[in-house]
Amino acid sequence: MIKLENIHKVYNLGKHKKLEALKGIDLTINKGEIFGVIGLSGAGKSTLIRIINRLEDPTEGKVIIDGEDITNYKEAQLRKVRQSMGMIFQQFNLLSSMTVAQNVAFPLEIEGNLPKDKIKSRVKELLEMVGLEDKADIFPAQLSGGQKQRVGIARALATNPKILLCDEATSALDPKTTSSILKLLQELKRKLDLTIVIITHQLEVIKECCDRVAVIDGGLISEMGKTIELFANPQKDLTKRLVSAVVRKDLNDLLEYTHLEQNYVENSRAWIEVLFLGNKAQDPVIVEVAQLLNIKIGILAGQINHIQNEPLGVLVVEVEGSEEIVQKAISELSKRVYKVSLLGYEQKEVVNA
């Protein structure tokens, strides 16, 4: 549905100064998927999404939408292409002097080829779709943040787009409202066969609704893949930091304040991280290995995340004994779970009599 080929974007800042926001982006987004783009502030996320609908012109490269190369389209041609793309924004961008219904009707009125009764019928349908049929005649100032974003979504869908672009669409919302908006987007994707692109710095958003994700860092895509795979096995340092903040948020304090050695010493215990995926998150793996090897395995901390409803469990366990025992435990755990990592050894204090 969307293909970007070798996209560069350079801003001229004057006095021979330039800013290279994008440095060669290659990206394919499939029809009917929710695709997330995540990165830190200034990484190039918003520039990327504005290039997709040509609100920004690429300095170099191609923008191909549904098989159509729109890179060199003039404004009249772009207006037609943009009718197939809706966009929602962080700050809602509603017109305060217009009612909810008038805001949703606005893009249809700009088209100029629909009679008033058709516009009214379409607005009613859209407001029902986003759960705001009773808010048609009130003004944006009277709405909550989540309701304003629902109006923004209804307006973005007014022209029956095939693509919905979301630029930090949940950043101004509280977690509960964010979750309700993401559920709405998933429902609309299924109902309307939409392709949705979500630009965000919130990994919780990616975790809840995206099929695939690209991590953008310094104008380049550093890592890309299925969301569950990126959470379970991140490769790049930035991705590891982002993922750890979500997947291990209840474990980070424990690990931060515990001194772990890299080498085995006598009178020590090993700390091991065990990663479960899917149904394995429910299996009694730790008990099985402890009984098999006749050792004690203590659970220090753990949590289960759900990546698009698929369980991803993380446990930190300790195994006390010789290095050989520790390696046997790691070997047996590795046969049963997605991933096992030796975090290190904690030396126990030895008190001489």
Side-chain angles (χ1 to χ4, degrees):
M1 181 57 75
I2 300 168
K3 191 172 185 179
L4 304 180
E5 295 182 355
N6 193 34
I7 294 294
H8 292 256
K9 179 62 182 179
V10 179
Y11 292 99
N12 291 311
L13 305 179
K15 294 184 179 180
H16 309 294
K17 292 183 178 179
K18 293 183 178 182
L19 173 64
E20 193 174 6
L22 299 175
K23 303 175 181 178
I25 298 290
D26 290 301
L27 184 61
T28 298
I29 297 171
N30 302 316
K31 182 179 179 181
E33 73 176 340
I34 301 181
F35 191 92
V37 180
I38 191 166
L40 304 178
S41 297
K45 305 186 300 296
S46 292
T47 301
L48 180 65
I49 202 170
R50 289 171 65 84
I51 281 177
I52 290 174
N53 63 6
R54 287 289 314 284
L55 289 175
E56 293 274 3
D57 296 327
T59 306
E60 183 183 335
K62 288 184 179 182
V63 181
I64 301 168
I65 303 298
D66 202 12
E68 194 174 348
D69 186 348
I70 68 167
T71 313
N72 298 312
Y73 273 19
K74 303 303 180 186
E75 192 58 36
Q77 294 171 295
L78 285 174
R79 277 199 296 272
K80 184 178 178 182
V81 171
R82 286 178 186 142
Q83 288 176 5
S84 69
M85 299 187 206
M87 190 160 184
I88 58 177
F89 306 88
Q90 179 179 359
Q91 298 300 334
F92 320 125
N93 287 12
L94 302 180
L95 299 168
S96 59
S97 60
M98 289 184 175
T99 65
V100 165
Q102 289 169 335
N103 267 282
V104 176
F106 189 58
L108 297 172
E109 292 170 349
I110 289 175
E111 278 190 22
N113 57 3
L114 273 181
K116 286 186 177 180
D117 61 326
K118 293 284 188 184
I119 292 177
K120 186 176 180 180
S121 174
R122 177 63 175 156
V123 168
K124 183 175 183 294
E125 178 189 5
L126 288 164
L127 289 179
E128 287 175 354
M129 204 178 290
V130 299
L132 293 178
E133 58 270 30
D134 59 335
K135 307 293 183 184
D137 298 321
I138 68 174
F139 291 89
Q142 299 168 269
L143 299 174
S144 68
Q147 289 171 332
K148 288 177 184 177
Q149 196 56 285
R150 286 173 181 263
V151 177
I153 293 170
R155 179 185 59 189
L157 297 175
T159 58
N160 285 306
K162 296 179 287 187
I163 296 168
L164 186 61
L165 306 176
C166 309
D167 190 4
E168 297 282 7
T170 59
S171 295
L173 306 176
D174 62 77
K176 186 176 179 181
T177 306
T178 292
S179 184
S180 72
I181 292 296
L182 295 178
K183 284 182 172 62
L184 174 62
L185 290 176
Q186 289 174 298
E187 181 184 329
L188 292 171
K189 185 206 83 162
R190 289 189 293 269
K191 185 175 182 179
L192 304 176
D193 194 25
L194 290 169
T195 301
I196 301 179
V197 183
I198 296 180
I199 299 292
T200 184
H201 66 274
Q202 300 170 294
L203 208 64
E204 291 284 358
V205 170
I206 300 291
K207 182 179 84 167
E208 189 162 339
C209 73
C210 292
D211 302 302
R212 289 193 302 138
V213 58
V215 181
I216 189 167
D217 185 15
L220 291 166
I221 292 177
S222 64
E223 194 163 355
M224 181 166 55
K226 291 182 179 179
T227 303
I228 186 68
E229 291 173 358
L230 243 71
F231 272 83
N233 193 26
Q235 299 297 309
K236 303 293 184 180
D237 287 343
L238 174 60
T239 315
K240 289 176 182 178
R241 293 200 305 273
L242 292 171
V243 166
S244 183
V246 174
V247 173
R248 298 171 179 81
K249 62 184 177 183
D250 295 335
L251 312 180
N252 285 338
D253 286 346
L254 171 71
L255 299 176
E256 183 177 348
Y257 294 108
T258 303
H259 179 65
L260 299 179
E261 301 288 347
Q262 292 303 307
N263 298 313
Y264 185 85
V265 291
E266 283 192 58
N267 302 303
S268 73
R269 55 184 179 178
W271 281 28
I272 300 168
E273 182 183 89
V274 183
L275 205 64
F276 302 81
L277 201 57
N279 293 333
K280 286 291 183 182
Q282 313 296 332
D283 292 350
V285 171
I286 303 300
V287 174
E288 287 178 6
V289 173
Q291 290 178 342
L292 177 69
L293 299 179
N294 194 26
I295 59 174
K296 290 182 180 179
I297 302 179
I299 297 175
L300 300 178
Q303 65 184 78
I304 294 180
N305 290 269
H306 287 85
I307 315 299
Q308 283 195 311
N309 299 319
E310 185 167 1
L312 175 64
V314 185
L315 279 182
V316 176
V317 301
E318 66 173 23
V319 177
E320 189 170 343
S322 68
E323 188 172 5
E324 182 183 0
I325 288 174
V326 171
Q327 292 304 322
K328 283 183 178 179
I330 291 173
S331 176
E332 290 298 331
L333 287 168
S334 297
K335 296 174 185 176
R336 292 165 170 80
V337 300
Y338 182 78
K339 188 179 179 182
V340 179
S341 302
L342 176 62
L343 300 176
Y345 301 94
E346 184 184 47
Q347 186 173 5
K348 293 171 67 176
E349 184 178 355
V350 179
V351 179
N352 294 321

